[in-house]
Amino acid sequence: MGVALSIANTVLFRYLLLRFHGFGKNHYLTMIALCHIPTVFLAIVPFLDTWDFPKARSFTYKEHSRYDFSIYEPFPGFSNIQSIPFLTATGVVAIGAYVIPFGSFFIIFSISSLIKRHTSMSDRTKEVAKMMVKGLAFQTMLPFLAYTPIVSFYLYSQFTGEEMLLTEHFLMLCSGFPALCDPFISCYCILPYRQAIIKFISRQTRRGSVVGQSSRSKVSTIDARSVNLHLF
């Protein structure tokens, strides 16, 4: 939810900036608050339900009789995942997995249309803006591809009661995949980042070539002195 909202916030910010040509301090604070409130809500709302840890432990032992849970004792858990707080949290997670990505794609399409119709932008600025929009599209697509299947499996397990091993084994992998790829997309699609990286690589390459040439010249000087000493 946090990743989806942060990307949607960035997309919405770019759209509003192009649409209204300015932003106030209150708008920034509102967007940041809207990005964090649902995440905090998801972290708190399950604890508003009635706690019944003994029932949760006994049910865990019954469902997973082959596992050894003694090393984890005492462990907590929630026994009623069909309660109002859990269903509310599930609805918020579903919104984050389905509604936010499609809404972000719609706003990205609107940004592309605004850039094409923008008359005060130069062609160079439009090309840079289009590259940034491509980056936002890729950044939106990554959470959609990584999180939506996992959330779908979770919803299926919660409402049918059937266990989905894919959810257990691929949860951490899918959760970390967007965070792994996102910096590379930003560094390629955002022009200042790309220019800084190219400049850094060029500087390191020139420094390496200078060091190599200096080392070769020193070796040549030492060889020449050795020859002169032998002749003498």
Side-chain angles (χ1 to χ4, degrees):
M1 175 61 72
V3 173
L5 284 173
S6 63
I7 295 174
N9 225 357
T10 305
V11 172
L12 183 61
F13 169 75
R14 297 294 180 183
Y15 173 77
L16 294 177
L17 201 62
L18 286 171
R19 185 76 175 178
F20 300 106
H21 309 287
F23 240 54
K25 182 179 178 181
N26 293 332
H27 295 97
Y28 289 114
L29 295 176
T30 302
M31 293 186 71
I32 293 173
L34 290 176
C35 187
H36 288 84
I37 288 175
T39 308
V40 175
F41 173 79
L42 282 177
I44 295 175
V45 69
F47 294 95
L48 301 178
D49 194 16
T50 304
W51 297 4
D52 193 352
F53 294 157
K55 183 178 179 181
R57 284 200 297 271
S58 63
F59 184 78
T60 302
Y61 276 109
K62 179 181 178 181
E63 288 293 313
H64 306 280
S65 57
R66 294 178 297 175
Y67 297 166
D68 181 17
F69 292 105
S70 59
I71 59 176
Y72 303 110
E73 285 285 358
F75 58 89
F78 301 97
S79 59
N80 185 17
I81 61 174
Q82 302 295 331
S83 61
I84 297 298
F86 264 92
L87 291 177
T88 304
T90 302
V92 175
V93 170
I95 291 173
Y98 301 110
V99 178
I100 292 178
F102 286 110
S104 298
F105 283 126
F106 177 76
I107 297 175
I108 289 172
F109 178 77
S110 301
I111 293 175
S112 300
S113 301
L114 284 175
I115 292 173
K116 291 179 181 179
R117 297 196 307 265
H118 216 290
T119 56
S120 61
M121 278 186 179
S122 63
D123 293 337
R124 174 62 178 169
T125 305
K126 285 186 177 182
E127 289 298 323
V128 174
K130 288 178 182 178
M131 180 62 72
M132 182 200 66
V133 170
K134 288 181 181 179
L136 291 175
F138 283 123
Q139 288 176 326
T140 304
M141 192 179 300
L142 280 176
F144 178 73
L145 296 177
Y147 299 150
T148 303
I150 295 297
V151 172
S152 300
F153 293 146
Y154 165 74
L155 294 175
Y156 179 81
S157 299
Q158 186 170 6
F159 289 108
T160 63
E162 297 184 17
E163 185 178 4
M164 297 289 293
L165 294 178
L166 287 174
T167 306
E168 298 178 13
H169 294 300
F170 287 97
L171 176 61
M172 297 306 297
L173 178 64
C174 292
S175 299
F177 182 71
L180 176 66
C181 300
D182 191 82
F184 296 100
I185 296 174
S186 298
C187 291
Y188 178 76
C189 294
I190 299 177
L191 183 61
Y193 294 170
R194 188 166 74 248
Q195 290 176 340
I197 292 173
I198 293 174
K199 186 182 296 184
F200 175 78
I201 294 174
S202 301
R203 189 185 304 123
Q204 295 299 319
T205 303
R206 286 197 301 269
R207 186 178 299 175
S209 62
V210 170
V211 171
Q213 290 175 1
S214 176
S215 300
R216 286 195 296 272
S217 63
K218 287 181 180 180
V219 171
S220 300
T221 304
I222 293 173
D223 291 340
R225 288 178 179 175
S226 300
V227 170
N228 290 332
L229 287 174
H230 284 302
L231 290 176
F232 182 75

